[in-house]
Amino acid sequence: MDSTQGRWHIWSRINELTAAWLVRNGLQQARRFREVLLLAALASAIWLLLAWPAATGGPQELHFTADADTYVEERSPDTSFGSEVELLTDGSPRRETYLRFTVTGIQGPVERAILRVYVTDSTTNGPIAYAAASNDWDERTLTWNNRPGVVGSLLHDHCTLKAGTWAEFDVTALVTSDGTYSIALIPNSDDGLDVSSREGQYAPELVVVVAAPEEPSTQPVEDTQPPDTVIDSGPPAFTDSQEARFSFHATEPNSAFQCRLDGDTYAPCSTGQTYTGLVEGEHTFEVQALDADGTADPTPASYTWVVDRTPPSPPADLSAVVAGPAQVDLTWTAASDSSPIIGYDLYRDGALLARLDNVTSYSDTTVAQGTTYAYEVRARDAAGNLSEPSVTATVTTPPPAPPPSSSDPVVIVAAGDIACDPQSDSWNDNNGTSSACRHKFTSDVALAQSPDYVLVLGDTQYEDGALQEYRASYDPTWGRLLDRTYPAVGNHEYRTGGAAGYFAYFGDRATPLEPNCRKDCKGYYAWALDEHWVAIAVNSNCGEAGGCQAGSPQYQFVASVLEANAGKHFLVYMHHPYWSTGKYHNCCKGDLADLYMLFERYGVELTLSGHDHNYQRFAPQTASSVCSAGGIRHFVVGSGGKNLQDTDANKDKEPCDEYLNETSFGVLVLRLFPDRYEWAFVSESGAVLDQGSALVS
């Protein structure tokens, strides 16, 4: 019998004895029937009072999952990341995370409120939690340009957070009662924090600990504490709107409010206070809460913003220079404005070509040869004003070279998942073992093909793409082909922050859109293989590239290349496979679906990938995986040296596979003609294990 059962048993016995004694004693002494009834009623009342257990209670813990969560990125100011499985917070590139919760069922004082997020990538200097300035946002449409920003003092500042653990941010100062609460995680350093989103495996949650309701006090308690006033939302810090609306609340219920604008006299107001007809310039809104006893908040909440309806000056000195057969480099002088300049819109022949961050140069790699183009640029400020266009810059690209004969093909060697970590037990000073680290021998067979171009398909250097690893392992082997190598970035390269080792090793060859970029670069680009074939390198690490979906900067770039080269043949390559029978079947169709529908629309003939460590060839098919003679032929070539993996794990799920090899390291050799292409899978021993050809129209 536990202690609770024991106490109940004792109370029951006492109740029985007490009631029995009262009844027996009453019967002995009663002289009238009315007295007997009175004593029985008294005994029953005593029984109920003694038998009824006293109500007990303790703190109640309530859990709420996020209604919405997303992050925004400064270098992709119009891109929404609401469907990503991770939330990214970083100082470089600058990323901010926003989460929203709806809290209900609070029936007592809030003792503690904790934001819990699951860490997927560690940091030594974590972000700071703030109250977001507005709850009025949608994770599907929130971007850097329309983010709500923050308001008030910091809620919690974190330092070291380890991957695989739950990080907790104390937001008690924000969550006080039922309501909707938005929390912003703002970076505190360049060492970013990645956490699982509500679309990921571990959804963020808000844990609210509510104290048990206290017994009403028999003595009135004098309220001597003034309320705190909190502004929940207001206009952007810079805006061209002459209207401003504010929502706010107090930390004490039933509080009244008084507001003023720009130092005017306080007047009674309520949440939703709106001002119209505001003049240009800086404005300050103040609101003060008064509790039911008339005690006023001694430190009213304030919010300052700028109304700016004046456009920036037009950018000056626009210059357009031909930098190659299919590239025009543009530069201009920065615009000036009373509000910060946040970016530029670049136009070509009157149509928007690119929406840029606050930069003063751009390389247009979507031009055709022998064509005249007219460029203009307009500045955007933080208030949303757009400048008049710059002076037009006109340039003519050189005419194309004579086409090669059909007997003189472009020779390409491709492979991914290549060089072992020098710390690997199988590395053996680049000599490997019989089953791993065979990158030296695949580089020998690649070199023997005398290729015009080498396409490396990501995960070029294990385990994390650090520059010193490239120099020790990749460079002495595949580095012998560096002068003709055009890389695609893989996921292992991003284990070094911003893929800095990868971009430093391959240099401008990997960043033609951003010369001299060596960290957090776009990682996608395109170039002409010859007069008939165009190559496009895709960054399939979609979260790092600013997205792959329709409307993302990368999607718009690829679409512009395909449109500008309509009628030519296309070879597209990346790290992650759209089709695979192996371990990574269906790993990436969701992220890459919009791009593959675009490829289908423009008649892309070939796509290459790695990631699965084997060789796979597929029959031409549509983006929806229907085998079709006019579709896209796909190769998986993850056989570059690291190790080999099974090809049959998901074979029954891919209807169009034609040849699979999980036992041989090797490279894909492509020979591209004006009217056809030929392929061969050549093993490290030099044996041709798969070959064929197909016509192109």
Side-chain angles (χ1 to χ4, degrees), residues 432-494:
T433 66
S434 61
S435 60
C437 301
R438 304 296 294 175
H439 52 280
K440 173 183 176 181
F441 305 100
T442 57
S443 73
D444 288 341
V445 74
L447 198 61
Q449 308 307 311
S450 300
D452 298 309
Y453 301 105
V454 175
L455 310 183
V456 287
L457 308 176
D459 285 3
T460 46
Q461 178 61 65
Y462 288 85
E463 285 296 321
D464 52 18
L467 185 57
Q468 63 270 23
E469 294 169 353
Y470 272 104
R471 289 170 175 165
S473 189
Y474 183 95
D475 192 63
T477 56
W478 280 77
R480 294 177 291 170
L481 295 151
L482 186 61
D483 63 334
R484 66 198 89 170
T485 298
Y486 289 77
V489 62
N491 55 291
H492 274 266
E493 286 86 334
Y494 281 102

Side-chain angles (χ1 to χ4, degrees), residues 74-75 77 332 334-335 340-344 356-361 380:
E74 185 177 19
R75 70 178 180 183
W332 57 90
I341 300 295
I342 63 168
Y344 295 88
L356 307 174
D357 294 337
N358 188 15
V359 297
T360 55
S361 64
R380 288 178 280 112

Side-chain angles (χ1 to χ4, degrees), residues 173-189:
L174 174 63
V175 181
T176 58
S177 60
D178 287 355
T180 300
Y181 298 94
S182 290
I183 301 168
L185 299 182
I186 305 300
N188 198 26
S189 72

Side-chain angles (χ1 to χ4, degrees), residues 172-330:
T172 309
L174 174 63
V175 181
T176 58
S177 60
D178 287 355
T180 300
Y181 298 94
S182 290
I183 301 168
L185 299 182
I186 305 300
N188 198 26
S189 72
D190 291 348
D191 186 8
L193 172 69
D194 298 354
V195 302
S196 178
S197 73
R198 72 191 190 111
E199 288 81 10
Q201 185 175 2
Y202 303 100
E205 66 172 355
L206 182 64
V207 181
V208 181
V209 180
V210 181
E214 297 181 358
E215 292 294 328
S217 174
T218 57
Q219 298 295 327
V221 178
E222 182 180 359
D223 181 7
T224 60
Q225 290 296 111
D228 288 328
T229 315
V230 179
I231 296 175
D232 299 314
S233 66
F238 295 90
T239 180
D240 60 352
S241 175
Q242 293 180 280
E243 179 177 304
R245 185 179 185 276
F246 296 89
S247 61
F248 41 83
H249 71 275
T251 55
E252 291 190 23
N254 304 317
S255 292
F257 299 92
Q258 56 185 12
C259 302
R260 69 177 180 179
L261 181 67
D262 297 334
D264 204 352
T265 304
Y266 277 111
C269 61
S270 59
T271 188
Q273 176 72 16
T274 301
Y275 297 95
T276 60
L278 298 171
V279 300
E280 287 196 74
E282 185 176 275
H283 297 278
T284 299
F285 168 75
E286 295 174 277
V287 56
Q288 183 180 48
L290 300 91
D291 65 15
D293 295 331
T295 304
D297 182 355
T299 56
S302 65
Y303 187 97
T304 298
W305 76 107
V306 173
V307 176
D308 177 10
R309 297 173 60 81
T310 302
S313 66
D317 305 321
L318 177 62
S319 169
V321 177
V322 174
Q327 180 171 325
V328 172
D329 288 346
L330 300 121

Side-chain angles (χ1 to χ4, degrees), residues 151-168:
V151 67
S153 302
L154 66 86
L155 299 172
H156 193 123
D157 185 2
H158 252 306
C159 291
T160 300
L161 297 171
K162 294 183 178 180
T165 65
W166 285 90
E168 296 187 347

Side-chain angles (χ1 to χ4, degrees), residues 77 167 185 197 243 432 597 621 664 679:
L185 299 182
S197 73
E243 179 177 304
M597 286 188 285
Q621 55 188 309
S664 301
W679 73 84

